[in-house]
């Protein structure tokens, strides 16, 4: 998965363009830039690749989610439904706009369970935020139908599944807004960076202003621009955007390599009857960033994870015990530990999450996810396939 595995002359050239003219910021300084607008170019390329009208690049995936929520006017006391399996950024972004993250069960897609979403809706719900974890996606048609029925925003967190598709559409482009992360370990990296895609002119127009202190970006004099509403600084630097331009050009190659490696490993594990695979919605195509498997029980999943490590198979994860990705270890969220005082609405709203999520636990406790890397040679992938098979068979 990490795009940094493929760093080369292409990334260096794009960064060198920026260093040669010295303009590290995306706005202003036109006479000095030599025609280089890296952030803008990355936005144009991202919108084109994702078949959307608009793209906005920002400083991180977390900023992308924050800006997207703000553009959809989600704020004080509003509830946003998010899955129990994601990255902490999901609830950080929701809290940062003053809204309340409401945790919701996942199913065998390892993403939001549409039935559980329907049950989690309250009069305060404003948005549903599916997170396409580990290279595959939520059942977006079902979630869109629910969103439309209840007049909610559908905001896709596609940070871990860039390049995957659903119903022929790139992940992130199916809902009202979609977000990507370009942090250092993602499939396309800028070092640090993120992106928002949308077909809504209203949201796109808000995004460029909100992410840059509310500047309206009209005219050539930054100091004289007006501010239709308050914003913050979620800008990406030209240096980071430059890396992203070279990386995004490699996305289709990355997807091809991942699919090849994934398929070899999956075919090998398919021969073990006790191993089953994560469900991919009918019209979905994975990004193949991870191979996600289920063992028959929690005990066997723990043993399989351990055996994989002992057999020298690196980069396999047992998310059920993970600090960053699963709700069981988010005590800072569940106990509302914040430096500054939370609003009353957030404090009472968060109490909704103090419950167990048995359906999520039933799936996650049986899940082992293995990262798909890009630089494996053919013999390394084949060797990995036999080691994985051997490791899992050893505990059955
Ligand atoms: C990486 C990630 C983010 C946050 O991205 P950053 O760029 O690290 O802020 C958000 N959601 C998911 C699912 C992620 O994997």
């Amino acid at each position: 998965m990490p795009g940094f595995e493929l760093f080369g002359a292409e990334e260096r050239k794009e960064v060198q363009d920026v260093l040669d003219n010295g303009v590290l910021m995306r706005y202003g300084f036109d006479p000095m830039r030599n025609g280089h607008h890296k952030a803008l170019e990355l936005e144009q390329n991202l919108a084109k690749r994702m078949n959307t009208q608009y793209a906005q690049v920002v400083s991180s995936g977390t900023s992308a989610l924050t800006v997207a929520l703000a553009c959809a006017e989600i704020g004080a006391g509003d509830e946003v439904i998010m899955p129990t399996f994601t990255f902490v950024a999901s609830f950080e972004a929701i809290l940062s706009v003053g809204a309340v993250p409401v945790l919701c069960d996942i199913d065998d897609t390892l993403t939001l369970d549409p039935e559980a979403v329907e049950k989690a809706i309250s009069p305060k719900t404003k948005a549903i935020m599916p997170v396409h974890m580990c290279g595959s996606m939520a059942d977006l048609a079902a979630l869109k139908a629910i969103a439309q029925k209840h007049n909610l925003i559908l905001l896709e967190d596609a940070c871990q599944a860039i390049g995957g598709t659903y119903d022929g559409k790139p992940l992130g482009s199916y809902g009202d807004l979609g977000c990507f992360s370009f942090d250092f370990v993602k499939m396309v990296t800028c070092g640090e960076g993120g992106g928002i895609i949308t077909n809504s002119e209203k949201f796109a127009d808000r995004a460029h202003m909100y992410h840059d202190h509310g500047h309206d970006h009209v005219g050539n004099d930054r100091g004289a621009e007006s501010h239709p509403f308050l914003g913050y600084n979620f800008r990406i630097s030209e240096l980071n955007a430059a890396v992203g331009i070279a990386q995004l050009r490699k996305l289709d190659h990355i997807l091809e390599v991942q699919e090849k490696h994934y398929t070899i490993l999956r075919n090998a594990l398919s021969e073990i009857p006790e191993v089953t695979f994560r469900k991919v919605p009918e019209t979905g195509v994975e990004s193949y960033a991870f191979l996600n498997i289920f063992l028959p029980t929690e005990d066997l999943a723990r043993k399989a994870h351990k055996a994989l490590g002992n057999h020298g198979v690196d980069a396999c994860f047992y998310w059920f015990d993970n600090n960053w990705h699963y709700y069981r270890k988010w005590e800072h969220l569940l106990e509302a530990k914040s430096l500054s005082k939370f609003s009353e609405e957030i404090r009472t709203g968060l109490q909704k999450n103090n419950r167990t999520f048995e359906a999520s636990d039933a799936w996650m406790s049986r899940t082992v996810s293995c990262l798909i890397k890009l630089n494996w040679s053919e013999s390394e992938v084949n060797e990995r396939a036999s080691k994985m098979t051997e490791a899992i068979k050893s505990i059955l």
Side-chain angles (χ1 to χ4, degrees), residues 117-187:
V117 168
E118 189 102 54
K119 285 192 199 124
I121 291 172
S122 84
K124 291 183 179 168
T125 309
K126 285 286 162 59
I128 305 171
M129 187 197 281
V131 185
H132 307 313
M133 285 298 279
C134 299
S136 185
M137 78 291 311
D139 184 351
L140 285 167
L143 294 178
K144 192 177 234 176
I146 296 170
Q148 280 169 347
K149 180 170 146 202
H150 296 271
N151 199 20
L152 308 173
I153 292 285
L154 184 61
L155 165 54
E156 288 175 72
D157 178 340
C159 291
Q160 288 197 15
I162 190 167
T165 62
Y166 181 89
D167 199 12
K169 296 186 178 69
L171 294 178
S173 71
Y174 193 90
D176 299 291
L177 292 140
C179 293
F180 300 111
S181 164
F182 305 129
D183 80 21
F184 191 56
V185 295
K186 296 295 180 356
M187 271 173 67

Side-chain angles (χ1 to χ4, degrees), residues 113-263:
D113 170 8
E115 270 179 40
V117 168
E118 189 102 54
K119 285 192 199 124
I121 291 172
S122 84
K124 291 183 179 168
T125 309
K126 285 286 162 59
I128 305 171
M129 187 197 281
V131 185
H132 307 313
M133 285 298 279
C134 299
S136 185
M137 78 291 311
D139 184 351
L140 285 167
L143 294 178
K144 192 177 234 176
I146 296 170
Q148 280 169 347
K149 180 170 146 202
H150 296 271
N151 199 20
L152 308 173
I153 292 285
L154 184 61
L155 165 54
E156 288 175 72
D157 178 340
C159 291
Q160 288 197 15
I162 190 167
T165 62
Y166 181 89
D167 199 12
K169 296 186 178 69
L171 294 178
S173 71
Y174 193 90
D176 299 291
L177 292 140
C179 293
F180 300 111
S181 164
F182 305 129
D183 80 21
F184 191 56
V185 295
K186 296 295 180 356
M187 271 173 67
V188 167
T189 181
C190 293
E192 300 285 0
I196 302 156
I197 54 173
T198 183
N199 286 311
S200 153
E201 186 181 358
K202 181 173 78 176
F203 292 157
D205 204 37
R206 289 171 174 176
H208 77 79
M209 294 190 262
Y210 187 79
H211 107 294
D212 182 29
H213 304 292
H215 277 281
D216 66 4
H217 303 130
V218 174
N220 292 325
D221 181 357
R222 193 165 160 81
E225 288 176 15
S226 53
H227 303 105
F229 47 77
L230 287 166
Y232 296 91
N233 178 0
F234 294 114
R235 293 190 308 261
I236 192 169
S237 89
E238 286 286 278
L239 285 171
N240 294 95
V243 177
I245 289 173
Q247 284 268 297
L248 187 61
R249 284 196 205 111
K250 297 180 182 179
L251 176 59
D252 291 310
H253 171 68
I254 292 174
L255 290 165
E256 210 176 291
V257 175
Q258 284 181 176
E259 182 179 1
K260 192 170 108 199
H261 292 174
Y262 169 108
T263 306

